[in-house]
């Protein structure tokens, strides 16, 4: 019998009772005008009043077509789904009001994952903010889209928490949630959700995996056998699940999954049969798999560095990994661990001579990999802006302070233009070069107004446009930097504008 033949056919039967009383036995029924005798004697004019119809206001005075304004329907003004309320994010719930899903997704896609740190920070805040969905998205669909973008950036915990705000949980949302659980060691909770509601996932691979996780090996094996016979599971995945259920089959080696992309489930199954995959070259989501305690120290360090470049893990987590033990080798990540350990010891001791050696070594190890902002977050809280340091070390100390949240508390020996930008006042400051000139225009008294074609755009899209122009400046295109900085300041994002300008000036 084909699978189509398994469909129920009982719906073809129905019983329709006869209509009782539709006609009298001796012919047609005579229906009275009204069951209330006195109503038959009242005319419409008497019921409404003699002037009721003649005094009614005309519907229109003209046959001309009225003017109609056409625009996309805005989302609800309610807070919408999100992890950060307006007080925490600094962004209103009407952030995307008047925007379309197409415009939003296009603007977000234009920003690279490893954007300039202030650009990335505000972009991430936009994704987490509680805001009504733009036109073209349902509230649940908008939350799922943002969760998928957060996953792309490596924000696993945040994406999972956002998906848990779905009411109800959707099939699309649960597919993402299940993948997150597999790389975040929380698959038992995801399996419990799937057991409670099997409609959350149509694919059988996850159900078979969850049956095995809960100890129901017989049911898992029977489900796999049936699904394989019906062709509901690709051959490679079917063989991988079989090896997971029967460890003795794993001696043959991991099966070839063909051109199918590696999924978190395939990663975990291969790991379980003793054939782990390297996460190098896989999407950033998979780096979280290497952060687990059972993984090697080198894999943990490389994964944390990769995630730190998008802000998906805190600098303190990376610092903790760097200082976990003494490197047993040199080169690559080991040199970075050694440099950070030396810097950490020098900062703890507060010794100017040790800092004079450790700061340049740490900068040279971290900055070329795009980790200068991470180094700033690690070192700046313990740096003394007034400590006398050798020339190179003093220069790096100032760079780290300006790249950190302490950018307004730097010493007087720092470059004058940097200090002026940190306070948002570049009046009477001489500039050198095209970059400083563009930044000065963005912060000057004659700062350019935002483009008129952008002034009425939704707030969220205006922010993304400005961030895209700043990111373009980081790649060498300074044509729109001044209006982008002015636009951020006009929207109340002064701190982001200052930090973005400083990062453009300093970050390698």
């Amino acid at each position: 019998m084909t699978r189509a033949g398994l469909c129920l056919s009982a719906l073809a039967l129905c019983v329709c009772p006869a209509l009782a009383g539709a006609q009298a036995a001796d012919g047609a029924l005579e229906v009275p005008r009204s069951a209330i005798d006195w109503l038959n004697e009242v005319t419409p004019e008497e019921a409404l009043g003699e002037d009721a119809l003649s005094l009614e206001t005309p519907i229109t005075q003209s046959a001309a077509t009225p003017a109609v304004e056409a625009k996309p329907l805005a989302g609800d003004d309610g807070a919408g789904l999100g992890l950060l309320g307006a007080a925490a994010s600094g962004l209103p719930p009407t952030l995307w009001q008047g925007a379309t899903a197409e415009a939003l997704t296009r603007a977000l896609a234009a920003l690279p994952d490893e954007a300039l740190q202030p650009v990335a920070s505000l972009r991430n805040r936009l994704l987490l903010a509680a805001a009504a969905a733009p036109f073209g998205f349902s509230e649940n669909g908008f939350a799922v889209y943002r969760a998928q973008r957060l996953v792309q950036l490596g924000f696993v915990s945040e994406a999972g928490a956002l998906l848990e705000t779905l009411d109800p949980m959707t099939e699309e949302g649960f597919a993402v949630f299940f993948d997150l659980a597999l790389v975040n060691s929380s698959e038992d909770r995801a399996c419990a959700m799937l057991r409670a509601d099997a409609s959350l996932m149509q694919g059988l691979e996850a159900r078979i995996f969850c049956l095995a996780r809960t100890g129901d090996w017989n049911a898992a094996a029977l489900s796999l056998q049936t699904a394989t016979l019906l062709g509901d599971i690709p051959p490679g995945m079917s063989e991988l699940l079989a090896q997971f259920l029967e460890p003795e089959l794993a001696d043959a080696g991991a099966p070839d999954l063909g051109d199918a992309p590696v999924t978190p489930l395939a990663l975990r199954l291969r790991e379980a049969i003793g054939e782990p995959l390297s996460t190098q070259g896989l999407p950033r989501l998979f780096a979280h798999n290497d952060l687990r305690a059972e993984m090697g120290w080198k894999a943990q360090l490389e994964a944390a560095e990769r995630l730190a470049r998008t802000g998906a893990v805190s600098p303190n987590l990376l610092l903790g990994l760097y200082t976990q033990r003494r490197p047993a080798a040199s080169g690559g990540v080991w040199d970075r661990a050694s440099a950070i350990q030396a810097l950490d010891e020098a900062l703890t001791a507060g010794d100017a001579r040790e800092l004079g050696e450790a700061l340049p070594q740490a900068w040279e190890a971290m900055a070329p990999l795009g980790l200068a902002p991470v180094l700033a977050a690690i070192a700046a809280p313990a740096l003394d802006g007034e400590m006398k340091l050798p020339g190179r070390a003093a220069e790096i100390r100032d760079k780290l302070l300006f790249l950190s949240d302490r950018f307004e508390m730097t010493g007087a020996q720092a470059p004058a233009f940097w200090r002026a930008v940190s306070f948002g006042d570049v009046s009477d400051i001489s500039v050198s070069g095209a970059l400083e000139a563009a930044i000065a225009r963005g912060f000057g008294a004659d700062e350019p107004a935002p483009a008129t074609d952008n002034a009425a755009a939704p707030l969220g899209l205006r922010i993304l446009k400005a961030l895209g122009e700043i990111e373009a400046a980081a790649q060498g295109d300074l044509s729109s930097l001044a209006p982008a900085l002015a636009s951020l300041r006009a929207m109340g994002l002064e701190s982001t504008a200052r930090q973005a300008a400083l990062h453009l000036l300093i970050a390698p």
Side-chain angles (χ1 to χ4, degrees), residues 251-468:
D251 293 338
D256 182 10
L257 297 181
D259 296 331
V262 177
T263 64
L265 180 57
L267 186 76
R268 291 301 301 274
L269 291 174
R270 286 187 58 119
E271 192 176 89
I273 66 173
E275 297 279 350
L277 280 174
S278 170
T279 62
Q280 297 294 324
L282 294 179
R284 195 172 281 104
L285 160 69
F286 291 89
H288 283 271
N289 191 68
D290 289 344
L291 288 180
R292 294 174 298 153
E294 57 266 32
M295 305 303 289
W297 186 32
K298 184 174 185 290
Q300 288 179 314
L301 284 171
E302 290 174 341
E305 287 179 341
R306 187 182 181 194
L307 293 168
R309 283 193 284 269
T310 63
V313 297
S314 72
N316 280 338
L317 184 146
L318 186 54
L319 174 61
L321 286 172
Y322 277 140
T323 57
Q324 191 176 83
R325 65 190 76 164
R326 289 293 179 184
S330 61
V333 70
W334 304 125
D335 287 348
R336 292 190 290 278
S338 296
I340 295 299
Q341 288 181 14
L343 177 61
D344 185 54
E345 291 169 0
L347 289 170
T348 301
D351 185 276
R353 184 185 61 82
E354 291 183 16
L355 278 172
E357 296 177 359
L359 278 170
Q361 291 176 1
W363 178 267
E364 290 163 8
M366 302 285 281
L369 274 73
L371 293 170
V374 179
L375 176 61
I378 290 173
L383 282 174
D384 182 353
E386 303 298 331
M387 179 182 286
K388 297 297 182 181
L389 295 173
R392 175 69 171 149
E395 177 188 343
I396 292 171
R397 184 262 315 276
D398 290 339
K399 286 183 176 181
L400 293 177
L401 287 173
F402 277 115
L403 291 175
S404 75
D405 291 339
R406 295 182 59 195
F407 63 92
E408 290 183 344
M409 301 173 61
T410 52
Q413 67 272 28
F417 189 74
W418 295 7
R419 295 200 310 272
V421 171
S422 72
F423 289 106
D425 182 4
V426 296
S427 57
D428 302 325
I429 299 292
S430 60
V431 300
S432 174
L435 176 58
E436 289 190 5
I439 291 173
R441 290 198 304 274
F443 285 90
D446 57 344
E447 62 190 39
T452 55
D453 62 348
N454 191 44
L459 176 61
L461 293 184
R462 279 184 281 150
I463 293 174
L464 288 175
K465 183 175 187 295
L467 294 182

Side-chain angles (χ1 to χ4, degrees), residues 30-45:
E30 180 180 354
V31 181
R33 288 174 56 199
S34 174
I36 306 174
D37 294 338
W38 61 265
L39 188 56
N40 294 329
E41 301 172 1
V42 179
T43 66
E45 290 78 6

